[in-house]
C-alpha cells in the first residue's frame, strides 16, 4: 500500500495527500482502515507489523527465483 509506505517513511498526512493528489481526509480514512486491518493503533505499530510480515516472507522464500517478479519487500 502506497499510503502505508509513505507513512512508514515519516511523511505527514498532508504530505501524503499532496504526493498522491488526494485529500487529507481520504488519507486519514485509508490509514484508519489500514490500522483496523492490521489490528494496530498507530504508525509505529503498523510499520513494525509490516516489517515483521516482510521478514517472515523473506525467511520462507530462500531463493530469488521463487519470488514473484515485480514484488519488492
Amino acid at each position: 500500500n502506497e499510503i502505508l509506505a509513505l507513512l512508514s517513511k515519516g511523511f505527514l498526512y498532508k504530505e501524503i495527500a499532496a504526493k498522491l493528489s488526494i485529500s487529507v481526509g481520504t488519507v486519514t480514512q485509508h490509514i484508519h482502515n489500514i490500522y483496523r486491518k492490521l489490528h494496530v493503533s498507530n504508525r509505529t505499530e503498523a510499520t513494525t507489523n509490516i516489517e515483521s510480515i516482510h521478514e517472515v516472507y523473506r525467511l520462507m522464500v530462500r531463493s530469488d527465483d521463487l519470488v514473484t517478479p515485480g514484488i519488492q519487500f
Side-chain angles (χ1 to χ4, degrees):
N1 186 312
E2 202 170 356
I3 291 177
L4 185 56
L6 293 171
L7 190 69
S8 69
K9 291 178 183 175
F11 283 80
L12 301 174
Y13 286 20
K14 66 181 179 180
E15 294 171 326
I16 295 170
K19 192 164 187 68
L20 300 178
S21 301
I22 58 178
S23 74
V24 175
T26 300
V27 171
T28 303
Q29 190 173 40
H30 282 298
I31 289 173
H32 172 77
N33 289 333
I34 291 166
Y35 287 178
R36 183 177 47 79
K37 289 177 182 180
L38 292 175
H39 303 285
V40 299
S41 59
N42 60 55
R43 176 189 307 240
T44 303
E45 289 177 356
T47 303
T48 302
N49 191 319
I50 290 300
E51 288 171 358
S52 297
I53 291 168
H54 289 172
E55 185 59 31
V56 168
Y57 181 79
R58 282 189 202 101
L59 292 173
M60 290 174 60
V61 180
R62 301 204 183 250
S63 172
D64 287 344
D65 34 345
L66 295 177
V67 178
T68 305
I71 296 180
Q72 295 179 345
F73 290 101

